[in-house]
């Protein structure tokens, strides 16, 4: 059952170039995020050095803040790394297993699993990314690849962590290419992800939110978040343009949604 308040997560990747530009981008997204806070959950994922300047901008708002990666150990001799424990307490979120980490930095399923478990153990909400490569998609192996990545990524994740876990389905061939996945393909794969979550985690698996990511923009966001099984989107390039990301927030806010128990119908 999709969450009544969809999530739009802005993965800024290695952008923008300065602390000032990061604070400005966060500030420019705030009006739309605040206006629609009752209908859309928004979280920003700046690079590590801009987390603090962006945190200052977001202070006192409902907009979440997260890191794009973490290490699984709390501290130690791991030059260049940042631990989930260091982020906990002042960041809300962490992304693990993004395909750019897997492809460019050699992260395997086992490392992703340890990161996911460490993020949850530290009290962070975790976005666990899975997605097939182009050749796997063409060969019709999407389902097998996603299931393998997901089962492996969930090793060490306790069922009760389900409420703070989000899975992002991001086909590698759709990321940064302008070739967003057909919503039918996304919907089918998200369905498989949901079945796998319940198989691995039991009932708490039903509480895990599932996002789509890959060339999402203001023109197509509604075709994903409008799917009955999709809880939101992980957005890269389009989240770096404040006007476009603000339009996306408004688009998602305008979608009809399920009314949760206790909420008044509008
Ligand atoms: P994109 O990136 O929206 O630029 O395709 C999505 C992502 O990598 O999370």
């Amino acid at each position: 059952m999709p969450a009544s308040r969809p999530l739009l997560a802005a993965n800024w990747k290695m952008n923008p170039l300065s602390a000032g530009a990061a604070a400005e981008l966060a500030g420019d997204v705030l009006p739309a995020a605040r206006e629609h806070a009752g209908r859309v959950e928004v979280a920003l994922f700046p690079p590590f050095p801009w987390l603090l300047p962006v945190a200052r901008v977001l202070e006192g708002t409902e907009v979440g803040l997260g890191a794009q990666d973490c290490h699984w150990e709390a501290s130690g001799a791991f030059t260049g790394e940042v631990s989930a424990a260091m982020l906990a307490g002042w960041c809300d979120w962490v992304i693990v297993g993004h395909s750019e980490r897997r492809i460019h930095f050699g992260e395997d399923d086992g490392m992703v699993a340890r990161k996911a478990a460490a993020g949850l153990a530290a009290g962070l909400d975790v976005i666990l990314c899975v997605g097939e490569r182009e050749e796997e998609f063409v060969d019709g192996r999407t389902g097998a690849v996603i299931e393998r990545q997901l089962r492996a990524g969930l090793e060490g994740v306790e069922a009760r962590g389900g409420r703070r876990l989000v899975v992002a389905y991001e086909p590698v061939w759709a990321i940064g290419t302008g070739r967003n996945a057909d919503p039918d393909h996304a919907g089918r794969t998200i369905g498989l992800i949901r079945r796998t979550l319940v198989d691995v985690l039991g009932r708490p698996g039903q509480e895990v939110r599932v996002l789509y990511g890959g060339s999402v923009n203001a023109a197509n966001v509604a075709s994903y978040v409008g799917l009955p099984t999709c809880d939101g989107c992980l957005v890269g390039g389009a989240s770096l343009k404040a006007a476009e990301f603000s339009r996306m927030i408004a688009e998602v806010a305008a979608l009809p949604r399920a009314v949760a128990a206790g909420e008044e119908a509008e």
Side-chain angles (χ1 to χ4, degrees), residues 65-78:
L65 177 71
Q68 300 168 14
D69 186 27
C70 68
H71 196 272
W72 54 86
E73 296 289 346
S75 64
F78 300 100

Side-chain angles (χ1 to χ4, degrees), residues 11 13 98 100 170 174-177 213-216 234-238:
N11 175 12
K13 309 193 180 187
H98 191 280
E100 286 152 17
E170 296 205 304
I175 294 179
T177 58
S215 296
V216 181
L234 180 54
V235 186

Side-chain angles (χ1 to χ4, degrees), residues 172-194:
V172 176
W173 46 271
I175 294 179
T177 58
R179 283 176 56 206
N180 56 301
D182 184 295
D184 283 347
H185 171 80
R188 270 195 308 277
T189 311
I190 289 172
L192 167 75
I193 290 171
R194 289 195 176 283

